[in-house]
Amino acid sequence: AQSVTQPDIHITVSEGASLELRCNYSYGATPYLFWYVQSPGQGLQLLLKYFSGDTLVQGIKGFEAEFKRSQSSFNLRKPSVHWSDAAEYFCAALNYGGSQGNLIFGKGTKLSVKP
Amino acid sequence: NAGVTQTPKFQVLKTGQSMTLQCAQDMNHNSMYWYRQDPGMGLRLIYYSASEGTTDKGEVPNGYNVSRLNKREFSLRLESAAPSQTSVYFCASLGWSYNEQFFGPGTRLTVL
């Protein structure tokens, strides 16, 4: 079955430190991959997406993600975390092979930022 | 463009009551989705509609029904609410060329 795994439920980093959130996918083919962010009580905002081509993808708010086919991973990174980055982050994959374009989400990683 | 809108924002029901969550999008998208979000579970697909007049079950459809009223609107109905349906519900529509799913702001539902 297709799945998206985020191994870390909760991560705490200090403000100004670098960040890497992990995401692994299990698919028959390379899916379209996404990272969403959700602030408390809010909806989901798209940070970045990968379809094909350059494996390093730039997103909004200074985030980037790298697709590694050999590791079935799509990890999210930020060089220097700001307190406002505290939120929950979801990795998702879209099965473009079907006609319905379902999104399959990981269970999320909650990011806390220490001052 | 309002994007994807959902009503209501909050709702409290008693067990056994019914209600309909409304969703509309003004982007002329074909596909629309209903997800529920529970702590530690991420978002799980309840139902989706690939086009007007069609609906299909997702991962967790039990206890729900949907209607794709027209291209713009996709409603989710709870016929007899249960406490296990306490959740945050998100509606989404799929952009052209599978670019991105656009999410509504969510409906926070509590069933007592």
Side-chain angles (χ1 to χ4, degrees), chain A residues 30-52:
Chain A
T30 301
Y32 291 359
L33 296 163
F34 304 82
W35 274 99
Y36 285 87
V37 61
Q38 184 182 34
S39 297
Q42 302 297 311
L44 279 78
Q45 181 182 22
L46 181 69
L47 285 176
L48 46 78
K49 57 194 175 189
Y50 171 78
F51 298 148
S52 64

Side-chain angles (χ1 to χ4, degrees), chain A residues 7-45:
Chain A
D8 304 304
I9 296 172
H10 191 186
I11 285 182
T12 300
V13 300
S14 297
E15 191 168 15
S18 63
L19 171 70
E20 183 170 30
L21 302 182
R22 296 184 291 165
C23 173
N24 294 96
Y25 66 90
S26 172
Y27 265 67
T30 301
Y32 291 359
L33 296 163
F34 304 82
W35 274 99
Y36 285 87
V37 61
Q38 184 182 34
S39 297
Q42 302 297 311
L44 279 78
Q45 181 182 22

Side-chain angles (χ1 to χ4, degrees), chain A residues 36-45, chain B residues 1-11 21-27 32-37 43 87-93 101-109:
Chain A
Y36 285 87
V37 61
Q38 184 182 34
S39 297
Q42 302 297 311
L44 279 78
Q45 181 182 22
Chain B
N1 274 359
V4 180
T5 57
Q6 292 183 237
T7 55
K9 285 187 167 39
F10 301 94
Q11 184 71 50
L21 281 63
Q22 305 287 353
C23 173
Q25 53 92 9
D26 60 1
M27 295 171 282
M32 297 183 72
Y33 308 81
W34 276 105
Y35 296 90
R36 61 176 289 172
Q37 183 182 28
L43 279 79
S87 187
V88 181
Y89 291 85
F90 288 99
C91 177
S93 66
Q101 281 197 10
F102 295 83
F103 284 83
T107 295
R108 188 173 296 272
L109 175 67

Side-chain angles (χ1 to χ4, degrees), chain A:
Chain A
Q2 300 162 343
S3 65
V4 174
T5 302
Q6 293 179 248
D8 304 304
I9 296 172
H10 191 186
I11 285 182
T12 300
V13 300
S14 297
E15 191 168 15
S18 63
L19 171 70
E20 183 170 30
L21 302 182
R22 296 184 291 165
C23 173
N24 294 96
Y25 66 90
S26 172
Y27 265 67
T30 301
Y32 291 359
L33 296 163
F34 304 82
W35 274 99
Y36 285 87
V37 61
Q38 184 182 34
S39 297
Q42 302 297 311
L44 279 78
Q45 181 182 22
L46 181 69
L47 285 176
L48 46 78
K49 57 194 175 189
Y50 171 78
F51 298 148
S52 64
D54 192 347
T55 56
L56 187 62
V57 181
Q58 302 297 321
I60 63 171
K61 303 186 178 186
F63 285 92
E64 66 178 27
E66 185 173 13
F67 170 67
K68 292 186 178 180
R69 185 188 305 275
S70 61
Q71 299 176 17
S72 296
S73 69
F74 187 55
N75 293 349
L76 182 71
R77 302 195 294 244
K78 187 169 185 178
S80 177
V81 170
H82 189 262
W83 64 266
S84 60
D85 293 324
E88 192 157 20
Y89 292 79
F90 293 94
C91 182
L94 188 148
N95 178 16
Y96 63 86
S99 61
Q100 57 270 22
N102 294 347
L103 267 182
I104 296 179
F105 284 85
K107 293 186 177 181
T109 298
K110 184 176 180 181
L111 173 66
S112 297
V113 180
K114 291 190 299 185

Side-chain angles (χ1 to χ4, degrees), chain B residues 29-82:
Chain B
H29 292 162
N30 286 324
S31 297
M32 297 183 72
Y33 308 81
W34 276 105
Y35 296 90
R36 61 176 289 172
Q37 183 182 28
D38 303 292
M41 299 296 292
L43 279 79
R44 292 179 292 170
L45 184 66
I46 305 172
Y47 270 93
Y48 64 94
S49 169
S51 62
E52 183 179 351
T54 69
T55 61
D56 285 286
K57 295 178 181 179
E59 182 185 354
V60 289
N62 290 347
Y64 305 95
N65 286 301
V66 291
S67 295
R68 184 73 182 268
L69 305 169
N70 47 55
K71 194 169 187 178
R72 289 187 65 249
E73 297 171 292
F74 188 38
S75 62
L76 179 72
R77 183 160 178 83
L78 287 70
E79 290 291 351
S80 179

